[in-house]
Amino acid sequence: MASKQMFALAGCGACNVEDANFQCFTCGTYYCGVSCQMSHWPLHKDLCIPRLVMATPLRENSSLLTQNALSTNAKTLSAAPNLVKIPKPVTNGVAMTKMLPDLQTRKDNNGPVTNGVAAKKTALDVETVKDNIPAGAVSNREKPAINAIKAPLQAPKPSQPAEAVGNNENPAPKPLKTPLQVLNALQSGEISVVKGKIVPKIEPPRTPKPLQRGPFPAPGRHVKISYVGKDMLYIYDSGLGPNGEPNSFEMLISRSLDCAMHVTDCLSAPPVIEEIVFAPFEDDYYRSVVKSVQNGIAEVFFPDFGNSMKIEWKKLKEIPDEKLKYAVVVTHPVWIDNVKSFTPRVNEYLETIVDLHEFVLTTVIDMPSTHIRMVDMRHSIQQYVLSEKLLALQQPESSLNLKTKLVAQLRQPNSALKLVATNPNTYKPVYYSEMIDTNISVSKGVELVVSYALHAFNENKISVINKSNQVAYEKTTKDCQTYGQIDPNPYNPQKQEVCLVKVKDIWHRAAPVNFKYGKPVQFYLLDLPAFTDEIKDAPVRRYPPGLTRHLFAVESIVENPGFLLQAIHGDENKVEQLPGVTIRANVYQKNDDDIIHLNVVSYEKGSLYAL
């Protein structure tokens, strides 16, 4: 139903009430409203299918108005703004030929509805329309009347003038009632003023919001490789989050898979460049960024892994969860220090450790003008340095055995990585709950190395490490000395933290166990292991992020210390010579304690960089 017109036009075709404000779009009959139109339908249906529109303005059809209406509304007309122009009704000849007798009947029965000039104009309009009817036009009689009544009127909205519809001009701004509304709209950016006129805000074309990258793992954090790229790797932090929170990478992938499972429909239109969508990979959907779309094929990049692929854009899916869609990226591209390129052999090896092997970051270097870092890292279990292993893999097959070469490199002090003092501004405390304990097999003939033996003969206690961990243990003890010497910043550790402490000119990995006046005075030395006496003002430093969290030494009870005494020629005063001695022992535990017991069966003198 059309909007009201401000002028009185004619009597209602149904109830004869004057000032009917609505007009049949097809034949021009006036009505009070839809109810009158519907009640008049049995008589009116032979003329046309009624559709109501706004009555024709005064200036376009003044002959339909009486002189009295003209004089009454003259002032209103002169003061009125530009009125909406409504297109002339379009109909067919069959309906309009029956309109003239109806107009005459209305004139006889209802008084002077119109004048002769108007009737002549209507007849001329009929002839004009008849001439313009295309061949084969369908008569209005063939359409169900009830559907036409129910159908909404398709007409321009009052706020959009007809002459402006369809062009490229900006729509008129929403009327603002008060100056305060204007000021608020200006402040919020909804409108602006151009040459003294209010102009609505024009929204710029939609551009996808770029993904933000999360913080890079600090040295000392455990990482895994997610993808092997061209001469670079993509890595992610594989450890727990702050305060024991779940791993951020695993949580992100889990959320992505769960969300994608509930999205059933694929995209119905091509995505825009840099749009973030779900893309299929190995039977699952993951977050991806569209890099190009051409000939129905989209190239996408998986930011949470590092790989790219091409796929039909019709197989992509929308990501409904905005928080997931724009979650920070926790996977980072890196170069490996001193490794300029990856040979096929290096690539082949790296592919075998993706997502499986864990490393400890030892070096992180920010590179200028790029977000890619230069890093190096050490294998968490095998303790080799990744850059050294990759460089060894680039050598010909006939070169020195890789394992032997790596051990030799670890033994050489000059081949050690460049260690950097811990930054107090970015330091995150390390807790002994993060340390990884070692394990001595309960078995016969276990090969062990003595690491500490001060109480070997007065308490029958020694500390031992697995022979296989000897190289890693030596490196750790050397790194402790280096870190302690280069770090000038004193530290006051709290309970449950681990740190470095200097005891008798040697730096140890330690945990404070006794405090006085808020400062630690007694420590448990992790690599002996043993408790110190109370120490006043002992030099303490932060636990280096790049230092391993693995523990190596285990305290044990020697059941046959006399046999072990032979290794130092029977002189208990030479007990300091025991560290470094390789022994074979039967290892067992008693039911009433957790400590391991050793029955030494053989020994072999050796050297050990011990504490």
Side-chain angles (χ1 to χ4, degrees):
M1 187 168 65
S3 302
K4 270 192 174 184
Q5 179 55 270
M6 58 189 293
F7 303 106
L9 297 178
C12 176
C15 65
N16 298 327
V17 173
E18 294 186 358
D19 296 335
N21 295 325
F22 295 94
Q23 186 180 21
C24 176
F25 186 81
T26 303
C27 64
T29 303
Y30 285 82
Y31 291 103
C32 297
V34 173
S35 59
C36 287
Q37 180 191 30
M38 294 181 68
S39 64
H40 191 241
W41 172 246
L43 298 176
H44 187 65
K45 63 182 180 180
D46 291 334
L47 294 177
C48 64
I49 293 178
R51 290 184 296 151
L52 295 180
V53 298
M54 186 183 294
T56 307
L58 171 65
R59 61 181 182 182
E60 289 199 0
N61 216 351
S62 59
S63 59
L64 295 177
L65 301 177
T66 61
Q67 289 295 327
N68 182 42
L70 181 60
S71 61
T72 301
N73 296 291
K75 294 182 179 180
T76 303
L77 177 63
S78 61
N82 293 338
L83 300 177
V84 178
K85 295 181 180 180
I86 301 299
K88 295 181 179 180
V90 178
T91 183
N92 57 40
V94 177
M96 292 303 293
T97 51
K98 297 189 178 184
M99 189 174 72
L100 293 180
D102 181 66
L103 290 175
Q104 185 62 38
T105 303
R106 288 170 55 193
K107 179 179 178 181
D108 296 339
N109 296 337
N110 301 329
V113 175
T114 182
N115 55 32
V117 177
K120 293 179 181 179
K121 177 177 177 58
T122 304
L124 292 174
D125 288 342
V126 170
E127 293 300 324
T128 303
V129 172
K130 288 172 63 177
D131 294 338
N132 295 331
I133 293 296
V138 179
S139 169
N140 284 339
R141 297 187 188 190
E142 300 175 15
K143 301 177 183 179
I146 191 66
N147 291 338
I149 295 173
K150 291 182 179 179
L153 176 66
Q154 302 297 323
K157 296 181 179 179
S159 61
Q160 295 178 326
E163 50 266 35
V165 174
N167 59 21
N168 294 326
E169 297 178 8
N170 297 327
K174 181 180 179 180
L176 300 172
K177 296 181 180 180
T178 67
L180 185 59
Q181 289 180 340
V182 175
L183 294 175
N184 290 336
L186 284 170
Q187 185 176 7
S188 65
E190 295 179 11
I191 62 171
S192 59
V193 178
V194 178
K195 296 182 179 180
K197 294 183 179 181
I198 294 178
V199 178
K201 178 182 177 181
I202 301 176
E203 293 292 338
R206 180 176 64 87
T207 55
K209 184 170 64 173
L211 288 174
Q212 301 298 317
R213 197 170 295 277
F216 195 87
R221 294 292 295 177
H222 288 252
V223 298
K224 288 184 178 180
I225 300 171
S226 66
Y227 181 69
V228 181
K230 181 175 175 55
D231 301 331
M232 68 166 55
L233 301 176
Y234 286 83
I235 65 173
Y236 61 90
D237 193 319
S238 58
L240 294 176
N243 303 319
E245 295 176 2
N247 178 263
S248 57
F249 175 81
E250 293 177 356
M251 287 295 296
L252 178 61
I253 300 304
S254 177
R255 287 173 55 199
S256 179
L257 293 173
D258 182 66
C259 180
M261 287 178 60
H262 294 85
V263 180
T264 57
D265 297 331
C266 294
L267 298 184
S268 59
V272 299
I273 306 302
E274 298 300 325
E275 186 172 355
I276 305 166
V277 295
F278 279 136
F281 182 73
E282 294 184 351
D283 299 326
D284 285 311
Y285 276 80
Y286 300 94
R287 199 168 58 150
S288 68
V289 181
V290 178
K291 292 301 181 181
S292 66
V293 181
Q294 188 174 10
N295 298 327
I297 301 298
E299 182 179 2
V300 297
F301 171 72
F302 294 92
D304 301 316
F305 297 94
N307 59 313
S308 300
M309 66 178 296
K310 292 183 178 181
I311 190 173
E312 293 181 55
W313 66 258
K314 292 183 179 180
K315 294 182 179 180
L316 305 176
K317 295 182 179 181
E318 185 75 22
I319 302 180
D321 186 345
E322 290 292 307
K323 290 185 178 180
L324 172 62
K325 186 174 185 177
Y326 295 107
V328 296
V329 179
V330 295
T331 304
H332 306 272
V334 297
W335 292 306
I336 302 301
D337 195 17
N338 295 322
V339 182
K340 294 182 179 180
S341 60
F342 294 168
T343 63
R345 191 177 174 203
V346 167
N347 274 308
E348 183 179 356
Y349 166 73
L350 290 172
E351 291 289 352
T352 65
I353 62 176
V354 169
D355 284 323
L356 298 177
H357 291 223
E358 196 169 54
F359 293 83
V360 178
L361 276 177
T362 57
T363 303
V364 177
I365 304 173
D366 291 333
M367 305 300 291
S369 305
T370 180
H371 65 281
I372 305 176
R373 265 82 165 184
M374 184 79 73
V375 305
D376 210 342
M377 42 195 182
R378 184 173 62 249
H379 197 281
S380 297
I381 298 177
Q382 301 176 24
Q383 293 295 311
Y384 65 79
V385 178
L386 184 60
S387 63
E388 295 172 349
K389 183 155 191 173
L390 299 185
L391 289 173
L393 285 171
Q394 291 180 345
Q395 301 299 321
E397 295 286 347
S398 59
S399 62
L400 184 65
N401 178 270
L402 179 60
K403 182 177 180 180
T404 304
K405 185 174 181 179
L406 290 176
V407 171
Q409 289 174 337
L410 287 173
R411 285 180 177 273
Q412 296 173 4
N414 294 333
S415 68
L417 292 172
K418 297 178 181 178
L419 304 183
V420 181
T422 305
N423 186 347
N425 298 323
T426 60
Y427 179 70
K428 294 181 180 179
V430 179
Y431 298 93
Y432 54 71
S433 59
E434 300 178 38
M435 308 305 286
I436 304 171
D437 216 342
T438 190
N439 181 49
I440 302 293
S441 298
V442 177
S443 181
K444 292 183 178 181
V446 179
E447 193 173 24
L448 304 169
V449 178
V450 179
S451 62
Y452 183 68
L454 185 62
H455 304 291
F457 303 111
N458 59 354
E459 297 181 12
N460 295 349
K461 291 182 179 180
I462 64 172
S463 295
V464 293
I465 62 174
N466 283 308
K467 177 68 174 179
S468 59
N469 287 336
Q470 182 176 355
V471 173
Y473 176 81
E474 288 182 341
K475 185 178 187 309
T476 299
T477 55
K478 291 179 181 179
D479 285 351
C480 282
Q481 310 314 308
T482 305
Y483 276 118
Q485 292 168 5
I486 65 176
D487 189 351
N489 304 301
Y491 186 58
N492 185 29
Q494 304 302 308
K495 291 181 179 180
Q496 300 185 359
E497 285 189 45
V498 290
C499 59
L500 297 184
V501 63
K502 190 175 183 181
V503 181
K504 296 181 181 180
D505 295 326
I506 297 178
W507 289 95
H508 300 258
R509 297 191 297 173
V513 294
N514 192 12
F515 293 81
K516 285 186 178 180
Y517 308 108
K519 292 186 176 181
V521 295
Q522 188 179 18
F523 299 84
Y524 181 64
L525 307 182
L526 302 175
D527 293 311
L528 293 184
F531 291 95
T532 68
D533 297 327
E534 286 197 7
I535 308 173
K536 184 179 179 181
D537 299 327
V540 181
R541 298 293 183 265
R542 293 167 176 81
Y543 193 95
L547 191 60
T548 181
R549 267 65 164 173
H550 280 272
L551 301 177
F552 305 100
V554 174
E555 191 177 52
S556 62
I557 299 292
V558 180
E559 296 293 338
N560 55 340
F563 182 82
L564 191 60
L565 187 59
Q566 300 176 24
I568 52 174
H569 308 289
D571 189 353
E572 293 185 7
N573 295 323
K574 296 181 180 180
V575 68
E576 71 277 359
Q577 296 179 8
L578 276 179
V581 173
T582 299
I583 63 174
R584 286 187 181 273
N586 298 330
V587 181
Y588 62 95
Q589 286 180 302
K590 293 184 178 180
N591 295 330
D592 56 347
D593 59 33
D594 292 329
I595 195 169
I596 65 171
H597 295 255
L598 306 178
N599 189 355
V600 182
V601 297
S602 67
Y603 63 85
E604 177 185 345
K605 291 185 178 181
S607 62
L608 177 69
Y609 186 92
L611 298 176

